[in-house]
Every structure is written in C-alpha cells, then in structure tokens.
Amino acid sequence: MDVITTTLDKLLFRWAREKSLWPATFGLACCAIEMMAAGASRFDTFERFGMLFRASPRQADLMIVAGTVTDKMAPNVKRLYDQMPEPKYVIAMGECAICGGPFYDSYSVLDGVDKIIPVDVYIPGCPPRPETLIYGIMKLRERIKNGDIERYKSNGR
C-alpha cells in the first residue's frame, strides 16, 4: 500500500510542478527580446501555461538564460541560481547561452551557461523565435511530468 501512495505522491507532485512554473525575470541580451515577445499578446505563452514571472529568484523555480553570459556576469548567474528554491530548472535560450554564439572565441564570454549551472533544456537559434521558446517550455514540462529531472534533494518524494 505504501508503494502505491508514494507513486501517487510522486505523480501528483510532478503534475503540480509541471503546471506551475514560475520563471525569474532574467534576460541578458537580444534573446530576451524574443522571450518578451513570447509573453506578449500574440503568443500569450506564459499566461497560457500558468507561468508568472517573478522578480525575486527566491520565488522562482525556472531560470531562462536568454543571451550572452560574460565572465563578469557568470558569478551573478550562479548566485541567482543558488538562491532559487528546489526543485529548480534552467533553459538555455539562444546560441550565446548554449555555446557562446558568435562571441565563442572572445576573452570575456563564457562558452555556455552549462559550465556554471546545470541546464535542462537547450533552445538553439540566434535569436530563437518565440515558437521555439514555446516548444522548449513544452519539452521542459514533459521532462518534469516524466520524472526525467530529479536532481534535487528530497525527503523520500
């Protein structure tokens, strides 16, 4: 009987997490413009998925890194990630966030945000279209629902 309850608890927690992602308000470069477009009235992505942008990382569980991460900005990105409560998820949006983009050989640009924080979904493009961000969010929700992302510390859940 306990196994069924535990499995049901896991299923319900995953369902709740999938349905209530709250991204941190965080944009670094031109990809942030496309992220804002995805939330505008034409696409209405974030409201449709029940996502509310939060100004504080302590209230957010999703970080969308949209743009170039410089070496000076990297400690701040890591600090914001560390301030987010568990479970937390990261989307790397755009070539700059994934691998440095056109600035990959610059002395001051990080070769991808996954060098400092774990990334759950990569969204390629320079910049990616709003439809691509929507698809990436749907993939993240699918991974949460399937239990593919289980790196947080829990007490048996």
Side-chain angles (χ1 to χ4, degrees), residues 18-79:
E18 171 207 355
K19 302 293 183 196
S20 63
L21 291 172
W22 285 11
T25 305
F26 184 71
L28 293 170
C30 44
C31 288
I33 302 296
E34 296 298 320
M35 183 173 58
M36 287 184 267
S41 60
R42 179 172 182 192
F43 298 100
D44 201 22
T45 302
F46 302 110
E47 286 82 11
R48 186 170 28 147
F49 290 140
M51 298 170 66
L52 299 171
F53 272 101
R54 307 306 303 166
S56 170
R58 297 182 193 280
Q59 298 172 347
D61 58 359
L62 171 62
M63 178 186 282
I64 302 173
V65 181
T68 309
V69 180
T70 61
D71 290 337
K72 272 188 147 178
M73 191 63 180
N76 296 326
V77 172
K78 176 77 168 122
R79 185 176 307 118

Side-chain angles (χ1 to χ4, degrees), residues 9-23:
D9 281 350
K10 280 186 179 181
L11 181 68
L12 290 175
F13 279 120
R14 287 183 196 148
W15 179 84
R17 286 185 186 120
E18 171 207 355
K19 302 293 183 196
S20 63
L21 291 172
W22 285 11

Side-chain angles (χ1 to χ4, degrees), residues 92-154:
M93 180 180 175
E95 295 302 319
C96 292
I98 294 172
C99 64
F103 314 108
Y104 72 94
D105 59 350
S106 173
Y107 68 94
S108 63
V109 173
L110 195 65
D111 299 351
V113 74
D114 57 358
K115 303 281 191 269
I116 55 171
I117 57 176
V119 175
D120 301 305
V121 174
Y122 296 91
I123 302 175
C126 186
R129 295 182 48 86
E131 295 92 341
T132 313
L133 176 59
I134 295 167
Y135 181 75
I137 291 169
M138 289 171 38
K139 280 294 172 190
L140 177 65
R141 292 178 64 182
E142 181 180 311
R143 290 191 66 198
I144 293 168
K145 183 174 74 173
N146 294 338
D148 296 341
I149 306 169
E150 296 287 339
R151 75 174 155 262
Y152 60 92
K153 299 172 199 78
S154 66

